[in-house]
Amino acid sequence: MPEKETMERAHKDKREGKSPTTQAGEFVREEMHHIRKGKHGARSTKQAIAIGLSKARRAGVDLPPPRKGKTSERTRRSAERAYARGHGEPPKRAPSAKRSRAIHRALEREGSSAASHAALAKQAHTAARQRTAQERSAAAQKAVQTKGPSKRHAAALKAVRTKGHAGLSRAAHKAARTRAAHT
């Protein structure tokens, strides 16, 4: 069962017009916290993300299951069941307590390195490389539209502050940092 704060953050994202994947990201974030706290582990970062996405679908996030050929048939069917569960369809049978307990115990035996910052960065990099530059650009453009003027301004200032920003002299960098510090 997702935590109350996670549900609230996901609802907030939905109200702000953010995409279902952004809403589902809150559940993935919660899963990473659980792994870091030691509630349970995960064999890989991919598995940890999959658990979070499944929770999101069961909680009613409009995240459709992957299309045929994108993942294994077993994963796709599991995602379809989770999606149906989150959209009002009753389960075909009551969940088995013995099975749930066995799954939880198996996850408890797994390590916590799947939720490390390095592992997450590696996973994000791998996932990004599978997308075209055009897809990545389109995602960034869409994100900008949901940011709002104040957050866009903050992001622009941050871009100016970052090392190696083209077109600014050292003096301009210093001035930008000073302005950013006083805002």
Side-chain angles (χ1 to χ4, degrees):
M1 189 74 199
E3 293 168 6
K4 193 178 174 187
E5 296 86 52
T6 304
M7 294 292 286
E8 285 168 0
R9 279 198 301 267
H11 285 309
K12 184 176 182 265
D13 286 347
K14 189 173 185 176
R15 279 197 310 273
E16 289 175 355
K18 293 181 180 175
S19 69
T21 50
T22 305
Q23 296 165 43
E26 296 298 343
F27 293 89
V28 174
R29 182 173 180 263
E30 178 190 80
E31 211 49 45
M32 296 304 164
H33 282 297
H34 285 181
I35 293 170
R36 285 177 189 154
K37 278 183 191 169
K39 268 190 174 179
H40 61 79
R43 190 157 291 191
S44 66
T45 308
K46 226 175 191 178
Q47 183 191 33
I49 292 168
I51 293 168
L53 293 179
S54 181
K55 268 188 179 179
R57 287 188 178 106
R58 282 194 310 250
V61 174
D62 287 325
L63 185 68
R67 291 190 302 274
K68 274 190 175 176
K70 285 278 182 185
T71 56
S72 69
E73 197 58 32
R74 182 181 173 185
T75 302
R76 204 171 65 78
R77 276 202 311 268
S78 174
E80 279 174 356
R81 277 194 302 273
Y83 185 83
R85 187 85 175 88
H87 289 77
E89 193 176 299
K92 294 243 184 322
R93 63 172 79 93
S96 160
K98 194 181 278 189
R99 188 189 180 119
S100 297
R101 206 164 45 244
I103 291 168
H104 191 76
R105 283 189 182 151
L107 282 175
E108 280 178 339
R109 288 194 300 272
E110 297 294 345
S112 60
S113 61
S116 71
H117 294 292
L120 285 169
K122 190 178 176 186
Q123 167 62 30
H125 186 73
T126 309
R129 280 188 68 184
Q130 289 173 350
R131 298 164 75 198
T132 64
Q134 198 173 10
E135 285 170 336
R136 293 196 306 270
S137 177
Q141 294 286 334
K142 190 177 178 186
V144 164
Q145 289 170 356
T146 62
K147 250 190 175 129
S150 62
K151 285 188 180 171
R152 267 200 306 272
H153 179 70
L157 287 177
K158 184 180 178 183
V160 169
R161 282 196 313 271
T162 56
K163 197 168 78 174
H165 179 69
L168 284 182
S169 66
R170 192 173 284 220
H173 267 295
K174 193 173 180 182
R177 277 199 305 274
T178 308
R179 270 198 310 275
H182 294 295
T183 55

